Amino acid sequence: DIQMTQSPSSLSASVGDRVTITCRASQRMSTFLNWYQQKPGKAPKVLIYAASNLQSGVPSRFSGSGSGTDFTLTINSLQPEDSATYYCQQSYNTPYTFGQGTRLEI
Amino acid sequence: QITLKESGPTLVKPTQTLTLTCTFSGFSLSTTGVGVGWIRQPPGKALEWLALIFWDDDKRYSPSLRSRVTITKDTSKNQVVLTMTNMDPADTATYYCAHRRLGIGLPGVVGNTQNWFDPWGQGTLVTVSS
């Protein structure tokens, strides 16, 4: 199984800040990495798929990068509505696995 | 527009079998490449992938739950069913079903197509307690 290690587990930032969340895979997996945003009481929504592709309707302040084992989600110019938990997920092979999540407080 | 909705019991007793149904619209599970997955999330914890079923009835399971979980589909009813046996309080979680979307043409590796879960159902909270 591919293990996903996400960091940090939580962070606090201010409106207008830039934040970076990282995800490291236990083996190389090309760009088969997706990022989801989950707000309290809601289902996750995809933000970034295939490492760097922005889901339709997602603000351009969100971006993803990486390949192989190391991936990054960057949020520029933080907004209050970005307060949420963020998860990475590998889709290279089954069993699919998620990171432990990063709780972002604005 | 693709939508999915989970249904089933909200409370089950330890050792009982859980049966959850995912009813979807906006796509067909008989279309090549399509898949539906189940993911759960214990209260306050991370997401955990459980199972996936493909258009051709290929099925994949989480190794840690392989002996307890079964996924099936009813294409005519646009439903996917998850059964989990021998339920335990540790199985208390919100259970989600999700459509597996394919990224045809996206860069990747030969023989492997980019994919992600989109959209998700609203989730259903299942509590295991006597």
Side-chain angles (χ1 to χ4, degrees):
Chain A
D1 302 2
I2 300 177
Q3 307 304 317
M4 306 302 297
T5 303
Q6 193 174 332
S7 63
S9 57
S10 65
L11 75 156
S12 181
S14 300
V15 172
D17 284 354
R18 175 185 181 186
V19 299
T20 299
I21 299 169
T22 63
C23 197
R24 173 164 289 177
S26 60
Q27 66 184 71
R28 295 184 64 82
M29 52 181 215
S30 182
T31 56
F32 286 76
L33 190 284
N34 310 307
W35 290 98
Y36 300 87
Q37 177 193 63
Q38 185 180 33
K39 296 187 177 181
K42 300 294 186 180
K45 292 184 177 180
V46 65
L47 293 174
I48 303 285
Y49 58 89
S52 61
N53 294 268
L54 190 67
Q55 170 75 351
S56 175
V58 173
S60 59
R61 61 180 180 273
F62 291 89
S63 63
S65 64
S67 180
T69 61
D70 295 314
F71 302 86
T72 299
L73 172 69
T74 300
I75 313 173
N76 289 301
S77 187
L78 273 175
Q79 299 300 304
E81 60 266 29
D82 299 334
S83 179
T85 301
Y86 295 84
Y87 293 94
C88 61
Q89 177 237 338
Q90 67 84 11
S91 57
Y92 184 72
N93 57 23
T94 57
Y96 293 147
T97 43
F98 291 86
Q100 307 96 311
T102 296
R103 178 173 293 184
L104 173 60
E105 176 186 298
I106 310 298
Chain B
Q1 179 190 6
I2 292 175
T3 63
L4 306 97
K5 187 174 184 179
E6 307 85 353
S7 60
T10 58
L11 179 66
V12 298
K13 290 181 167 52
T15 75
Q16 287 187 335
T17 294
L18 171 69
T19 299
L20 293 174
T21 300
C22 175
T23 303
F24 57 85
S25 63
F27 67 97
S28 172
L29 245 184
S30 60
T31 301
T32 300
V34 174
V36 172
W38 284 93
I39 303 102
R40 72 177 179 179
Q41 184 174 38
K45 296 188 177 181
L47 300 165
E48 178 186 15
W49 175 77
L50 302 178
L52 178 66
I53 190 165
F54 293 94
W55 82 101
D56 59 358
D57 211 36
D58 185 14
K59 301 166 187 177
R60 307 293 173 87
Y61 295 99
S62 166
S64 64
L65 293 168
R66 179 63 183 91
S67 63
R68 299 174 51 211
V69 171
T70 302
I71 190 170
T72 59
K73 63 181 176 70
D74 186 330
T75 304
S76 64
K77 292 183 179 179
N78 280 353
Q79 291 180 334
V80 171
V81 175
L82 181 82
T83 59
M84 185 178 295
T85 62
N86 194 25
M87 292 292 284
D88 181 88
D91 297 312
T92 293
T94 296
Y95 288 75
Y96 297 98
C97 62
H99 170 257
R100 177 181 175 264
R101 195 176 292 277
L102 290 179
I104 305 296
L106 288 175
V109 297
V110 175
N112 200 348
T113 304
Q114 294 282 358
N115 63 91
W116 56 96
F117 289 116
D118 172 61
W120 297 51
Q122 64 187 27
T124 185
L125 175 61
V126 177
T127 300
V128 184
S129 174
S130 55

